[in-house]
Amino acid sequence: MTVTFNYRYSPPRTQIKDLLMSGIIGNIVSVDFHWMLDTRHGADYFRRWHRNKANSGGLLVHKATHHFDLVNWWLSDVPERVYAEGARNFYRPETAERYGFTRRSERCLDCPEAEKCPFHLDLRAYPRLAEIYLKNEQFDGYFRDRCVFSGDIDIEDTMHLTVRYRSGATMSYSLHAFMPWEGYTVTFNGTKGRIEHIAQETVYISGDGTVPGELKPEGTRIRIFPHFQSPYEVEIWKAEGGHGGADPVMLGVLFSPEPTPDKYLRASDQRGGAWSILTGIAGNRSMEWGRPVRIDELVHGLELPDYPPMPDPHEPIDPLPLKHSRAARRSE
Amino acid sequence: MAKKRYAQVGVGDRSFMYSFAIAEPFRDHAELVGLCDNNLGRLRTRADWLAGRDLEVPIYLDTEFDRMIAETKPDVVIVTSKDATHDQYICRALELGCDVITDR
């Protein structure tokens, strides 16, 4: 079975894996990962079926499973314990009241506040959305444009997690769904230095005809900070197409008769899928139970995914790399 | 080499990328043999789009999933339905001897 973790195939995210595998910052001991969904794309989850946990598991499951898969794969590791806090701070009736929207409807199509509301979505203005959803409401009663401020919503828009991995590495993670820009920052702290990566994505509404989650080249950066040496920026591997340039590469792997071997082992099966979703499920339980949750409280005997080997945490480290490289140059 | 046979369950917006990949760039290797969804209108919309590419693909309601597998004999089932329904389709498809690709 194949689980389509398209995010892994995005060239800059593969480049991060390549850098971490190279050992340039040693073995990874911690990760700071913060994902921003903006007021267009983020809001869209609160209009659709995703707005209820029974359908989507909330954003920690539906959306963040991609992020947690990236971390599992980047670190070649699996989560052991999760603590989460979360709340719905923005997409709720009180916010509509603060905006002064007193006559709002439960959907955009007939909403008297449409002209004033920055979240108004006119399905009729998007041919593809009208074709797929508006035209077919009679068959299943599904509305694609429900009010983002509805009291029926029961998923969080603000989430923070602390995760401990099997290797002992830890992660601090956050997800916000009402931010002014969309993308993420991720930092890896290793025994030989630090990598900082920021990626700004374009904004989109699912199905509006644009390419979803395309990376903005000018907003994507990778900086390396080795211990005791000057930091430097590396050139970003080129990304074109949906979800950070991942979709075209992944479709080639899925549907080509003979996929090429991949040293990053990006193709995922049910094991990678299960381990990625467990961080979010444990996060949901943690919010519910008000305490850290161990993965082995939820599931036992799950096989480990196939991940590439990572730098050895016991290998000797050169304490004076700069001095030694200068000396090497002098003796040439 | 015989084309690989794909059936797809869930034809909302996210599913289009897969239908498109099979119908256009990978059509020499892949074939869409069945479509399944809980919304008859959306099924017709996707079938019409495929018909525009000379591809006749039969449609099935979600209650007819098993019948789709029996009649169209796919090698692989692509699951792009609402998340909460993924597990039932994945497990049933595997039980019926198909491989599965699931959107996550």
Side-chain angles (χ1 to χ4, degrees):
Chain A
M1 176 175 153
T2 307
V3 182
T4 57
F5 282 115
N6 54 352
Y7 281 37
R8 293 186 187 185
Y9 293 93
S10 158
R13 294 173 200 143
T14 303
Q15 184 177 10
I16 290 288
K17 178 66 177 168
D18 188 77
L19 288 165
L20 296 176
M21 283 167 70
S22 77
I24 198 162
I25 61 162
N27 55 294
I28 314 307
V29 300
S30 70
V31 182
D32 284 310
F33 194 7
H34 304 287
W35 202 288
M36 278 69 64
L37 298 168
D38 69 12
T39 46
R40 279 171 67 85
H41 178 215
D44 215 28
Y45 292 106
F46 296 79
R47 299 187 178 103
R48 298 181 285 159
W49 54 263
H50 312 71
R51 71 206 319 248
N52 294 118
K53 269 207 180 173
N55 289 329
S56 66
L59 291 174
L60 276 189
V61 168
H62 178 82
K63 183 69 186 170
T65 195
H66 280 296
H67 312 156
F68 300 139
D69 176 67
L70 278 177
V71 178
N72 292 354
W73 170 70
W74 273 333
L75 300 183
S76 292
D77 205 347
V78 293
E80 193 174 71
R81 190 167 57 210
V82 177
Y83 178 67
E85 292 281 352
R88 183 155 53 92
N89 287 312
F90 187 80
Y91 297 110
R92 50 186 198 153
E94 293 86 335
T95 307
E97 282 160 30
R98 288 173 67 184
Y99 279 132
F101 304 152
T102 50
R103 299 171 302 151
R104 79 186 163 81
S105 153
E106 275 306 306
R107 67 176 304 190
C108 292
L109 195 68
D110 57 10
C111 184
E113 304 283 9
E115 291 204 351
K116 284 190 282 175
C117 182
F119 295 95
H120 174 63
L121 172 66
D122 186 353
L123 289 176
R124 294 163 300 188
Y126 298 93
R128 192 159 136 190
L129 292 180
E131 173 87 8
I132 299 177
Y133 297 106
L134 190 58
K135 212 182 82 184
N136 294 318
E137 288 178 357
Q138 54 181 308
F139 294 99
D140 60 0
Y142 177 68
F143 295 157
R144 170 69 181 73
D145 62 345
R146 288 194 186 270
C147 180
V148 299
F149 302 117
S150 165
D152 297 339
I153 296 169
D154 64 3
I155 60 170
E156 299 82 15
D157 59 20
T158 311
M159 289 141 276
H160 286 87
L161 267 72
T162 299
V163 183
R164 183 192 155 88
Y165 290 85
R166 203 171 269 191
S167 69
T170 48
M171 172 173 71
S172 168
Y173 170 87
S174 73
L175 175 60
H176 290 84
F178 51 97
M179 291 295 98
W181 65 275
E182 173 133 337
Y184 61 92
T185 66
V186 63
T187 303
F188 300 88
N189 301 304
T191 46
K192 291 163 73 174
R194 169 178 165 100
I195 294 178
E196 297 178 358
H197 173 38
I198 181 167
Q200 202 174 351
E201 296 182 347
T202 51
V203 294
Y204 75 108
I205 292 177
S206 184
D208 66 357
T210 62
V211 181
E214 197 165 39
L215 290 173
K216 284 184 173 173
E218 71 279 12
T220 305
R221 279 202 314 263
I222 297 177
R223 283 179 179 158
I224 300 180
F225 298 76
H227 276 165
F228 321 119
Q229 295 179 69
S230 307
Y232 57 95
E233 196 155 327
V234 292
E235 200 177 324
I236 297 286
W237 292 359
K238 206 166 168 317
E240 272 172 13
H243 292 107
D247 288 349
V249 185
M250 184 186 77
L251 290 170
V253 173
L254 279 182
F255 296 117
S256 291
E258 283 166 20
T260 47
D262 179 14
K263 73 169 177 173
Y264 307 114
L265 301 180
R266 286 173 293 187
S268 177
D269 60 14
Q270 68 280 0
R271 295 168 300 169
W275 278 107
S276 80
I277 209 167
L278 280 169
T279 308
I281 291 174
N284 276 336
R285 291 283 176 276
S286 174
M287 288 192 283
E288 207 180 310
W289 298 342
R291 64 167 175 82
V293 172
R294 293 191 324 274
I295 300 299
D296 67 11
E297 292 179 70
L298 306 175
V299 62
H300 283 288
L302 205 55
E303 271 180 69
L304 292 178
D306 296 325
Y307 291 133
M310 296 300 282
D312 177 0
H314 306 293
E315 70 171 6
I317 303 175
D318 181 356
L320 298 169
L322 205 58
K323 192 173 167 188
H324 293 152
S325 66
R326 277 199 204 112
R329 270 203 300 277
R330 271 199 304 274
S331 67
E332 272 166 16
Chain B
M1 200 169 87
K3 290 184 186 181
K4 215 172 212 181
R5 300 168 66 79
Y6 293 88
Q8 187 166 17
V9 53
V11 293
D13 179 65
R14 178 64 187 157
S15 74
F16 183 73
M17 179 182 87
Y18 296 88
S19 294
F20 177 82
I22 295 170
E24 297 269 353
F26 297 99
R27 63 187 298 161
D28 293 343
H29 310 293
E31 185 180 7
L32 204 51
V33 297
L35 293 170
C36 184
D37 197 282
N38 65 338
N39 186 309
L40 188 60
R42 267 204 296 279
L43 279 169
R44 287 181 184 143
T45 303
R46 182 61 51 85
D48 287 348
W49 180 85
L50 289 159
R53 275 144 194 80
D54 294 326
L55 299 167
E56 296 300 325
V57 183
I59 59 176
Y60 298 85
L61 280 172
D62 53 349
T63 49
E64 304 170 313
F65 180 78
D66 281 20
R67 191 159 71 80
M68 172 177 79
I69 304 296
E71 291 180 1
T72 67
K73 300 184 176 50
D75 300 307
V76 184
V77 175
I78 300 175
V79 180
T80 45
S81 55
K82 185 156 75 179
D83 288 6
T85 63
H86 281 195
D87 57 340
Q88 75 186 66
Y89 291 126
I90 291 169
C91 292
R92 192 64 189 138
L94 292 171
E95 278 168 15
L96 295 171
C98 304
D99 200 357
V100 174
I101 293 174
T102 180
D103 199 56
R104 49 71 264 147

